[in-house]
Amino acid sequence: MLPDKKGHYGIFGGKFVPETLMSALEILEQAYNKIKNTKEFKKEFNYYLKEYAGRPNPLYLAERFTKKLNGAKIYLKREDLNHTGAHKINNTLGQIILARYMGKTRIIAETGAGQHGVATATVSAMFGLKCVVYMGEEDIKRQELNVLRMKFLGTEVVPVSSGSKTLKDAMNEAIRDWVTNVEDTYYLIGSVAGPHPYPMIVRDFQSVIGKETKKQILDKEKRFPDYLVACVGGGSNAMGLFYPFLKTNIKFIGVEAAGHGIESGQHAATLSAGSPGILHGSLSYLLQDENGQIKIAHSISAGLDYPGVGPEHSYFKDINRADYVSITDNEALEAFHLLSQTEGIIPALESAHALAYVMKLAPQLSKDKIIVVCLSGRGDKDVDAVGRKIKNLY
Amino acid sequence: MITELQKKLQSLKDSGKKFFIPYITAGYPSLAITEKLVISMEQAGADAIELGIPFSDPLADGPIIQLSSYEALLKGVTLSGIFEFVGNLRNKTKIPIIFMTYYNPVYKYGIEQFSITAEKYGVSGVIVPDLPPEEASLLIKSAKDHNLAVTFLFTPTSNEKRIKLITSKSTGFIYYVSLAGVTGTRDKLAISIQQKIEDARKFTDKPIAVGFGISTPMQAKEVAAFADGVIVGSAIVKKITENVDKPDIIENIKKFVMEISNEIHSLNKG
Ligand SMILES: Cc1ncc(COP(=O)(O)O)c(C=O)c1O
């Protein structure tokens, strides 16, 4: 069972943080291990997943999308139907229960697309906890709608103007806040990234995606799918879908953002084009230059625009348990439109990357094959950005 | 094995003398000025120099050092460039140089190679704020083979078990981070610094230096009363930023560093 005691997945993972946080991580791990298997915790977590987030969400057979691609049968795991519109709420519900159990009174988070920020603001409001979200200035511009949502929810949104002004810099700033306010503050990380035990905790909370999928596909098809496909920013929706199927031989495919194309150098394809290094508390694949400086990622999708990735994905890559591929901005936009017009579902730009890969994969497969795609979020937040990008089309 | 740096600091400690380590960011505002600053800070009374290796994501640093790091990177400063810089500096001064670097540039450079190059160019020690001893076995091993001191940090949140680990793994000296937070200047000193240092002395005779948030000569003196050494960073870098376009930048920094140095060393015995 991974991670090992020190939080390693093979050579990846670990705890690379300032000493001030080492005790906090230890206490967090102890608290998590203590409650995770208790009846009370499971009951509370499941209660909110069901009554508040609206789970289980459907595993929907995308008939017209399938027909259009004329190959494997495609199911969509509808995380977009969760309260707040993405898979992020699964993790924030789990972690806020943990934070409350630990007696923390102040919640902080980083956000890229704003989906994790909104999900954190939401559960903080629901439990009456003070919440501060760090967000890069660049992302604030791209995801204005989510900034407003967070504000309506009573959260303080702190603009981050250092570095690339995106998710990586927001995470730096959140860690600086945590180092300063570690006594009363809970850092609610939004993906399977960061120092141990976060990648494990977030994986466990997001595993509800894969667990439900397992039941639902057996119900509908009496068998497991052949492929699981999900987009990878930090990697939480992908890990949540994959992990419960770890011991099968189903193919896992993680889809990263190739931005303007990997050759252009402007992309966020960390696993496809990066190399191992240390950022934000763990050893994992990174986009970096020959001097070990972190490179600025690029993607049309703010939620994938990150030069790092969760350590367990790095491990999956190295042991060949999963394949990691990449999709350009333009390919993602095409998928965004195709799904909207064949299924009446407007996907998040992040999820559109996974769909774009399915557009390549499905036609190559016979009709008796089954693909499950994680539709990690809905596209409402992207309406403005896509509208600006393609104003000539409509 | 005892590193050269530890020998020097230990002998200062044993003879009742305090040591002062100013921090500056390498390449800010340029490597040429860094060279002049190192030499003038030695003349001003520094016992060793902490040289910051600029990093794109300095998450343990506050805005002052973040900015210096960012500017240095814009100038194209790299780890290998700084190694050569220190090599050249060795013709002009023998003052011990301690690198303060985030772990990724070291990892990318190659951990073994880092220690070898440090020895070759005369770098005495290294501090890696995002590398706790638990993850540092490769660096500790190669540093030992190449006479490079590795300093770990303890903080107000470190419990006894961790202080024990940190003091035992550190070579050179031990760094006490006086507050829970990032680097930066503060109006007041953190409380209970003395208590925490006394806690650590139960486990070690190695020299203990205090840093983070020490901003004025008087604060430095206050801390030196119970620490073996004092590290001042952001306050000096801030002065550099204020003087960046002035022709007398070197003189102004030297004067400030001398004021701090004099206060610290006023507590020397004998
Ligand atoms: C809808 C959606 N999908 C995917 C992601 C990427 O995150 P992860 O890779 O952790 O699932 C985000 C992040 O903001 C998102 O909002």
Side-chain angles (χ1 to χ4, degrees):
Chain A
M1 275 286 282
L2 292 177
D4 68 14
K5 265 212 210 94
K6 285 183 168 177
H8 293 152
Y9 306 84
I11 67 160
F12 301 105
K15 291 181 193 169
F16 296 84
V17 293
E19 170 62 24
T20 302
L21 299 178
M22 288 299 284
S23 299
L25 291 173
E26 229 165 84
I27 293 166
L28 173 64
E29 187 178 356
Q30 282 163 4
Y32 177 63
N33 284 334
K34 198 161 159 195
I35 67 165
K36 70 175 177 188
N37 291 321
T38 62
K39 246 196 238 129
E40 296 77 20
F41 174 75
K42 284 184 184 167
K43 201 172 141 200
E44 190 177 3
F45 186 33
N46 288 331
Y47 170 81
Y48 286 107
L49 285 176
K50 176 164 180 268
E51 302 293 334
Y52 190 70
R55 303 200 75 95
N57 56 42
L59 182 69
Y60 166 73
L61 174 62
E63 272 191 84
R64 289 194 68 231
F65 191 61
T66 298
K67 205 160 174 191
K68 181 91 191 169
L69 299 177
N70 197 25
K73 207 167 179 182
I74 300 158
Y75 282 93
L76 307 176
K77 183 57 180 158
R78 297 292 306 273
E79 295 300 311
D80 62 316
L81 292 177
N82 295 340
H83 179 43
T84 70
H87 67 295
K88 300 284 179 186
I89 192 89
N90 305 330
N91 168 48
T92 57
L93 278 171
Q95 285 200 58
I96 200 128
I97 297 171
L98 183 55
R100 272 162 44 95
Y101 169 78
M102 293 173 71
K104 301 292 182 184
T105 53
R106 179 174 175 267
I107 306 293
I108 59 169
E110 80 295 334
T111 197
Q115 286 305 105
H116 173 58
V118 167
T120 307
T122 298
V123 297
S124 298
M126 194 248 294
F127 280 120
L129 295 175
K130 184 176 161 48
C131 177
V132 177
V133 171
Y134 290 92
M135 188 168 185
E137 279 180 348
E138 201 52 47
D139 291 336
I140 287 182
K141 265 190 258 162
R142 290 197 273 194
Q143 306 284 338
E144 218 182 318
L145 190 72
N146 275 342
V147 177
L148 283 174
R149 289 167 83 193
M150 286 186 270
K151 289 183 177 167
F152 297 161
L153 292 161
T155 279
E156 181 191 349
V157 180
V158 181
V160 176
S161 60
S162 56
S164 59
K165 306 179 173 59
T166 62
L167 180 55
K168 125 183 132 67
D169 311 281
M171 195 144 174
N172 289 338
E173 214 48 47
I175 293 173
R176 291 183 186 117
D177 179 317
W178 199 31
V179 170
T180 309
N181 301 299
V182 62
E183 277 304 315
D184 68 343
T185 295
Y186 183 94
Y187 181 19
L188 208 161
I189 292 187
S191 193
V192 286
H196 178 66
Y198 283 104
M200 171 181 80
I201 292 177
V202 178
R203 173 194 76 194
D204 292 353
F205 291 157
Q206 288 293 2
S207 287
V208 65
I209 302 173
K211 285 180 198 158
E212 279 179 17
T213 301
K214 233 176 183 175
K215 257 204 219 131
Q216 292 166 321
I217 198 76
L218 285 179
D219 234 26
K220 292 177 200 296
E221 297 282 347
K222 312 282 179 277
R223 72 169 185 96
F224 281 166
D226 302 288
Y227 293 84
L228 301 177
V229 182
C231 67
V232 175
S236 68
N237 85 89
M239 193 53 73
L241 177 64
F242 296 168
Y243 197 70
F245 292 96
L246 189 62
K247 294 200 178 94
T248 68
N249 49 18
I250 298 171
K251 262 186 115 50
F252 297 169
I253 300 175
V255 186
E256 299 188 300
H260 296 318
I262 298 217
E263 337 66 63
S264 73
Q266 292 184 298
H267 61 81
T270 311
L271 289 160
S272 314
S275 59
I278 293 94
L279 178 68
H280 296 150
S282 64
L283 175 56
S284 196
Y285 275 77
L286 292 181
L287 299 179
Q288 57 182 330
D289 69 13
E290 67 279 11
N291 297 303
Q293 305 295 342
I294 309 306
K295 281 201 209 161
I296 291 175
H298 169 85
S299 170
I300 188 175
S301 138
L304 303 183
D305 203 349
Y306 180 60
V309 68
E312 198 162 15
H313 284 292
S314 292
Y315 178 67
F316 280 4
K317 175 188 161 81
D318 275 18
I319 63 165
N320 287 316
R321 179 60 190 93
D323 283 344
Y324 295 92
V325 298
S326 62
I327 283 294
T328 65
D329 289 353
N330 287 339
E331 291 169 329
L333 282 169
E334 223 177 283
F336 179 90
H337 289 111
L338 186 64
L339 192 78
S340 301
Q341 291 171 16
T342 54
E343 295 293 347
I345 298 170
I346 301 177
L349 278 176
E350 291 79 14
S351 325
H353 284 72
L355 295 164
Y357 185 73
V358 168
M359 286 167 62
K360 295 183 182 180
L361 175 68
Q364 297 171 28
L365 300 174
S366 59
K367 292 189 172 153
D368 59 346
K369 297 286 188 222
I370 300 171
I371 302 173
V372 171
V373 197
C374 188
L375 194 68
S376 57
R378 60 176 174 247
D380 306 32
K381 70 183 175 58
D382 299 311
V383 163
D384 237 25
V386 177
R388 262 180 270 140
K389 186 100 187 160
I390 50 137
K391 51 180 171 298
N392 310 329
L393 227 76
Y394 293 94
Chain B
M1 215 200 64
I2 296 191
T3 61
E4 287 302 318
L5 183 65
Q6 187 166 345
K7 268 187 224 159
K8 168 164 178 169
L9 300 181
Q10 191 78 44
S11 80
L12 286 172
K13 175 181 181 229
D14 293 345
S15 58
K17 295 195 169 79
K18 303 294 178 182
F19 60 87
F20 168 41
I21 309 180
Y23 165 99
I24 55 175
T25 302
Y28 179 67
S30 68
L31 280 174
I33 292 192
T34 302
E35 177 177 313
K36 289 185 185 146
L37 287 173
V38 170
I39 292 167
S40 66
M41 291 197 297
E42 181 181 24
Q43 290 163 355
D47 297 287
I49 305 287
E50 194 181 317
L51 211 49
I53 310 300
F55 182 52
S56 52
D57 294 83
L59 53 77
D61 284 302
I64 295 168
I65 294 180
Q66 277 178 49
L67 175 82
S68 68
S69 202
Y70 182 76
E71 295 284 330
L73 286 176
L74 285 184
K75 294 253 158 79
V77 173
T78 64
L79 177 57
S80 45
I82 297 167
F83 270 130
E84 281 173 33
F85 164 82
V86 173
N88 291 330
L89 198 62
R90 282 292 161 246
N91 304 323
K92 296 176 181 140
T93 165
K94 294 276 175 268
I95 190 164
I97 301 278
I98 301 159
F99 277 2
M100 147 97 184
T101 175
Y102 288 87
Y103 192 40
N104 197 52
V106 177
Y107 186 84
K108 184 72 182 170
Y109 194 83
I111 297 163
E112 174 86 29
Q113 195 55 42
F114 178 83
S115 298
I116 293 171
T117 313
E119 184 172 42
K120 177 173 160 200
Y121 288 120
V123 174
S124 310
V126 61
I127 303 167
V128 190
D130 59 346
L131 184 69
E134 284 91 336
E135 298 284 356
S137 54
L138 290 176
L139 179 63
I140 290 172
K141 188 181 170 312
S142 73
K144 206 173 187 175
D145 295 341
H146 297 282
N147 197 25
L148 178 68
V150 183
T151 287
F152 293 101
L153 310 96
F154 70 109
T155 70
T157 62
S158 307
N159 57 26
E160 281 222 339
K161 196 174 123 222
R162 297 201 56 78
I163 296 177
K164 221 166 163 171
L165 176 71
I166 288 155
T167 52
S168 78
K169 295 286 183 191
S170 293
T171 51
F173 68 98
I174 299 150
Y175 193 139
Y176 179 59
V177 174
S178 72
L179 46 86
V182 293
T183 59
T185 54
R186 307 285 197 283
D187 293 337
K188 271 196 273 176
L189 278 183
I191 48 166
S192 67
I193 299 177
Q194 183 169 9
Q195 181 58 50
K196 207 72 184 181
I197 290 179
E198 278 165 18
D199 290 347
R201 296 226 196 263
K202 282 185 267 173
F203 305 114
T204 187
D205 295 326
K206 291 171 194 167
I208 300 175
V210 177
F212 274 52
I214 299 168
S215 310
T216 65
M218 283 323 288
Q219 286 175 354
K221 181 179 182 177
E222 220 178 299
V223 167
F226 37 82
D228 305 311
V230 179
I231 299 168
V232 178
S234 295
I236 296 172
V237 176
K238 190 171 165 206
K239 270 269 187 310
I240 296 175
T241 300
E242 287 163 4
N243 282 279
V244 98
D245 295 321
K246 297 188 182 152
D248 51 356
I249 175 170
I250 305 295
E251 280 312 303
N252 291 344
I253 304 307
K254 186 174 177 178
K255 189 165 153 269
F256 181 57
V257 168
M258 195 180 286
E259 285 168 29
I260 303 171
S261 174
N262 288 346
E263 289 300 338
I264 293 168
H265 290 120
S266 73
L267 297 175
N268 285 357
K269 298 210 178 74

